[in-house]
Structures are given as C-alpha cells and as structure tokens.
Amino acid sequence: MAKKLAKSAVSQKRVLDAAARIFRDYGYAGTTMRTIADEADLKAGSIYYHYKSKDELISAVLDLSIRLLIDDVKGALAALPEGASGRDRVQAAMHAHLSSILTNGDYTLSSRRVIGQVPESIRNQNMRLRDSYAAIWQDILKGAQAGGEFRASANMSLVRLFVLGALNWTVEWFKPGGRSIEEVASEFTDLILDGLSDKSAADSAVSPVKPKMRAQAPSRVV
Amino acid sequence: MAKKLAKSAVSQKRVLDAAARIFRDYGYAGTTMRTIADEADLKAGSIYYHYKSKDELISAVLDLSIRLLIDDVKGALAALPEGASGRDRVQAAMHAHLSSILTNGDYTLSSRRVIGQVPESIRNQNMRLRDSYAAIWQDILKGAQAGGEFRASANMSLVRLFVLGALNWTVEWFKPGGRSIEEVASEFTDLILDGLSDKSAADSAVSPVKPKMRAQAPSRVV
DNA sequence: CACAAAATCAAACGCTAGTTCGAAAATTGC
DNA sequence: GCAATTTTCGAACTAGCGTTTGATTTTGTG
C-alpha cells in the first residue's frame, strides 16, 4: 500500500535548493515556477506535487534558512567547555554564524532578499523564529556583561544589532577563493571585542599578529 | 510657446518617490507601473510621459539613493575643522552615513532590495558610484592608521566592510520614535573605536580615557 | 477669453504568470 | 512481470504585466 519512499524526498529537496537559488537571484515576484522547474530539471506543473503553491515554497526556504543558522550556532555553543568565558562564547557564536550564513549562502541570501516581499503571514511566522535566534545572542551578551567582562556602559541590544548587522552583511561581499571564513571571523571578533583604536602607544609591541597581505578584488559596499 | 515649467518636475519627483516606496515593498519584478501610478495619484500610462520605461525609473531610484549618501557624507567631512583626528573623521562619517540612510530610508531600502534583480547594465552603472563611495571610507581609515591612531594589525578593508555592514543593517530594524539616530551613531562609534571589552581592570592604565582631539598634524586624507 | 503646449487618461496589444487536471510515465510490492 | 501506486508531464485557463497610442483635459500665455 502507501509507502513513503526516498524518490519523492529527493525531488523535494532538489526543488527546494533550486528555489533558494532562483529566489536569491530574481526576488519573490521575479521568480517563476517555470524557472525553478528548469533549475530542478522538472516541469512547472510537477512542482505542485511536492509543494502546493509558490507561497509554500518560499515559506519552506525561509524557514530552513533560519533553522540552519540556529542549529549551527547552538551546536557551536554546546561544544564549548563548561566554564567558557563570555569572550569565548562571543567568538564561537560569531564564527558559527558567519560560517553558517556563508556556507548556506543560497538560503541566507534568498531569505534576505525576499523577506520584505512575502505575504505578511509568512513573514510573521518566520520572524518568530528569528526572534528566538536573537534571544540566544542576547543571553550571551548579557551574561558576559553581568560577569564584568564587557563594559557596563554598553547597551547589549545595540551591540547585538551592530554585530549581527556586520556579520549578515558579509553575504553581500564575501566570495569564496578570497579571504577565508576563519580570517574574517577572527578579524571581526578582534574588532568588536577590542576596538580599532591603538590603545597603547607605549606597549604596542604586544600584539602578536601577522600582517595579512592578500590581494583582493574591490569589495562592494552599501 | 514652449516653456519648461515646474509642473512636470513636481510630478516627476512624485513619481520617483512613489517608485522608491513601491520598489522597496515589492521588489523589482513585484512592482507594477500601475501600483506606482496609484501611489503617485496618476494612471499607469502617464508615467511614460516622465520616464520612458520601468528600467529608467529603477535606474533613477538607484542613482539618487547612492548620490544622496555620498553628498551627505562628503558634506559632513568637509564641515570638520582642518586638523580633525582620524577618530573624529570616522565619527563624523558614521553619523552622516547613518543619518543619511535612515532619513532617506525609502531610497536606501528599495535600492538594497532590488540591486540584485535589476538588469546588469543598470547594476554596473550603479556599482561604479558605490565603489567611489567605498574609496572615501578607505581614505579615512587608511589615513588614521598611517597616523598611528588605529592598530597597525587591523585590515582596513575588513574594517570598512564591518562598519558599513553594521550601519547599513540599521535600515532593517531602526524605527522612528524609538532610539534616536544620534544615540545609535554614538554607541556604534564607541563600539568600533574602543571595543566591547572592559579594559579598566587589568590592561594599561595608560589611556583608558578618551581624548576627543589628538594634537597631530593633519593627516593627508582624500 | 482663446488657444497652443503640456500633461494626463482610457483602452488596447501581445506576453507571461501561477495554477489546474487528465493523461502518460516511472517506480514499487508481490 | 504485472498491476497498483507514485511521480511527472503537457496543455490549457484566467489574470495581470509593461507598453503604446490617439483622444482628452489642464495649464500658461497673449
């Protein structure tokens, strides 16, 4: 009788991946079922066997996008030793966030590009997931501040928005083959934790950092 | 006889403003000439008296968006006293950038949301403007680093991407009526310049203070 | 007021969108 | 290897798209 088997699941994922790429490149309205079908080696009508509408497709892309991120960051935090400092936790979360969104760039980018154009109910559903992700960060930051590691004068909500903004923006300019994810994560972590100013005109010989001299194509900004 | 008068210019601007808002909300393909026309209190066909295609419209929105930003930031830098420190220049540029993109949120957001979906020639034209804006920032940062104000170990291209990323992201969450632009700008500036860590405990008691102005020869910038 | 120029309108055009559905093909259990 | 089931197809439908065009209204000037 009825038996759920692999064939369907494989096609379903193939369609979803294709959708993420096409939504990323053409936006919500600009994406057509026929284009997705082409990308997934299918005909347009066949998509409806797996997803019952374009909205259900974009909804699935949006949800997977944020779920992948939450899982990666939670995983990285769980892998830390028990007594890890706030600094370590921030560092781990930043690296995991960056690695996740850059590795799943299709989903992250398409998500970012269509989130504002999607029917409101779909957006609201997705926003709830995103809020729960923000809460994870808020815990890390507040914890480190309560422990005295971070300046008491800093507003942790703004810090979170600052850091996540800078991280999320990387999908706009990061290109594989240039700087490594680790390189970017490390530099960004240093920046947010210690700042840009040279605090020690005297003991500046302390920082054991090697200068990086990788030629890079002009990066897009704004 | 023929006389160019204001009426046309007024309508033209009204259509452009409407287009920015609609492109922002619905993306490139999702925006229809009829919707723009409604928003501008016109009929769809009438738009073609002012702009000869949808592409010309989006092109005008994209260009105005980046031009407004460039003018604001250049203006703020020009208003600084001659010997202003790198710190002051970064602060002024950050504030001007933030203020500009949040004040012109319709243009900034629509620009961000459609830039990836627009015909390539339009995108390339706009990218050239954006590269010139990036160059302004690169000059500020490199100048301050050369003057010894910023850590020599920091990669200024990454710093620029970090800072502008965090700033640009504000359009996603900033809502008038909440925190003021000045408040956000000030906190962000402190963060990037001095970092999040509380240095008052162990680290050097040399300069935990914040000298607003550095006595220093005017670094060559721009 | 009159009338030419400027600005807007209403209707229509060809095209492509999301979606539906019965038929065809591929796959599976026995 | 066959019949039942799952999956895919292809054609069709309606709706709405950007754009064109000739007619119509509004505007500024003598």
Side-chain angles (χ1 to χ4, degrees):
Chain A
M1 302 302 261
K3 196 157 170 207
K4 298 282 189 72
L5 229 14
K7 168 100 186 282
S8 181
V10 168
S11 282
Q12 192 164 338
K13 186 54 167 33
R14 195 158 34 95
V15 169
L16 195 64
D17 287 347
R21 286 192 294 272
I22 303 298
F23 276 123
R24 175 198 62 186
D25 290 343
Y26 299 99
Y28 176 66
T31 291
T32 77
M33 298 301 269
R34 286 166 178 85
T35 312
I36 295 176
D38 269 4
E39 179 86 4
D41 270 316
L42 239 67
K43 298 298 172 182
S46 309
I47 295 181
Y48 289 82
Y49 181 78
H50 302 285
Y51 298 91
K52 69 168 177 281
S53 72
K54 185 180 177 183
D55 281 359
E56 194 178 285
L57 241 185
I58 188 60
S59 188
V61 169
L62 291 176
D63 276 16
L64 185 55
S65 165
I66 183 66
R67 273 186 218 281
L68 287 170
L69 178 59
I70 290 177
D71 287 352
D72 284 348
V73 172
K74 274 190 174 169
L77 288 172
L80 250 38
E82 278 226 6
S85 67
R87 196 183 174 93
D88 286 342
R89 297 176 73 78
V90 167
Q91 193 154 13
M94 284 184 71
H95 184 277
H97 182 108
L98 207 52
S99 173
S100 182
I101 66 174
L102 293 177
T103 303
N104 303 305
D106 295 351
Y107 283 88
T108 306
L109 263 175
S110 68
S111 178
R112 289 219 12 221
R113 297 231 168 110
V114 306
I115 189 67
Q117 302 158 20
V118 121
E120 203 180 324
S121 62
I122 294 180
R123 184 166 50 245
N124 288 341
Q125 150 75 18
N126 195 250
M127 286 300 185
R128 237 172 289 131
L129 280 172
R130 282 167 198 276
D131 287 345
S132 80
Y133 180 64
I136 297 175
W137 272 87
Q138 201 67 11
D139 282 348
I140 299 177
L141 294 172
K142 282 278 189 186
Q145 191 178 37
E149 283 188 76
F150 295 166
R151 296 190 339 238
S153 62
N155 178 320
M156 287 302 129
S157 288
L158 279 178
V159 170
R160 171 173 50 84
L161 291 165
F162 185 81
V163 173
L164 292 182
L167 292 180
N168 288 337
W169 196 258
T170 56
V171 293
E172 299 287 346
W173 54 263
F174 186 88
K175 293 282 177 296
R179 278 180 268 255
S180 72
I181 292 178
E182 281 68 29
E183 205 174 340
V184 176
S186 161
E187 178 97 32
F188 276 20
T189 307
D190 288 352
L191 265 181
I192 191 58
L193 291 175
D194 298 324
L196 186 53
S197 290
D198 192 344
K199 291 306 202 327
S200 45
D203 53 40
S204 67
V206 187
S207 42
V209 193
K210 53 172 183 175
K212 298 151 189 143
M213 303 207 302
R214 191 191 291 267
Q216 176 84 2
S219 314
R220 302 288 177 204
V221 186
V222 183
Chain B
M1 307 295 270
K3 195 156 174 213
K4 296 281 187 74
L5 227 16
K7 170 96 186 287
S8 180
V10 168
S11 282
Q12 193 164 338
K13 186 56 166 33
R14 194 157 34 94
V15 169
L16 195 64
D17 288 347
R21 286 192 294 273
I22 303 300
F23 277 123
R24 174 199 61 186
D25 290 343
Y26 300 97
Y28 177 67
T31 292
T32 77
M33 298 302 268
R34 288 165 177 87
T35 311
I36 295 176
D38 269 4
E39 179 86 4
D41 269 317
L42 238 68
K43 298 299 172 184
S46 309
I47 295 180
Y48 289 81
Y49 182 79
H50 302 285
Y51 298 91
K52 67 168 178 283
S53 71
K54 184 181 177 181
D55 281 359
E56 194 177 285
L57 242 185
I58 188 60
S59 188
V61 169
L62 290 177
D63 275 15
L64 186 55
S65 167
I66 184 67
R67 271 187 220 281
L68 287 169
L69 177 59
I70 290 177
D71 287 353
D72 284 347
V73 171
K74 274 191 173 167
L77 289 172
L80 285 171
E82 277 224 8
S85 67
R87 195 183 174 93
D88 286 341
R89 297 178 75 79
V90 167
Q91 193 155 16
M94 283 183 71
H95 183 278
H97 182 108
L98 207 52
S99 173
S100 182
I101 66 174
L102 292 178
T103 303
N104 304 305
D106 296 351
Y107 283 88
T108 306
L109 264 175
S110 68
S111 178
R112 289 219 10 221
R113 296 227 169 113
V114 307
I115 190 65
Q117 303 158 18
V118 124
E120 200 179 328
S121 62
I122 295 179
R123 183 166 52 246
N124 288 342
Q125 150 76 18
N126 195 251
M127 287 299 188
R128 237 173 288 129
L129 281 171
R130 283 164 199 275
D131 285 344
S132 80
Y133 180 64
I136 297 175
W137 272 89
Q138 201 66 13
D139 282 347
I140 299 176
L141 294 173
K142 281 277 189 187
Q145 191 177 39
E149 284 188 76
F150 295 164
R151 297 190 336 234
S153 61
N155 178 319
M156 287 302 129
S157 288
L158 278 178
V159 170
R160 170 173 52 82
L161 291 166
F162 184 86
V163 172
L164 292 181
L167 292 180
N168 288 337
W169 196 259
T170 57
V171 294
E172 299 286 349
W173 53 265
F174 186 88
K175 293 284 175 295
R179 279 181 269 256
S180 73
I181 292 177
E182 282 68 27
E183 203 175 340
V184 176
S186 163
E187 177 98 31
F188 277 19
T189 308
D190 288 352
L191 265 181
I192 191 60
L193 291 175
D194 298 323
L196 186 52
S197 291
D198 191 346
K199 296 302 206 323
S200 62
D203 223 35
S204 65
V206 183
S207 59
V209 285
K210 34 189 165 185
K212 261 293 188 176
M213 278 269 218
R214 250 188 199 218
Q216 177 154 2
S219 354
R220 187 196 59 78
V221 188
V222 178

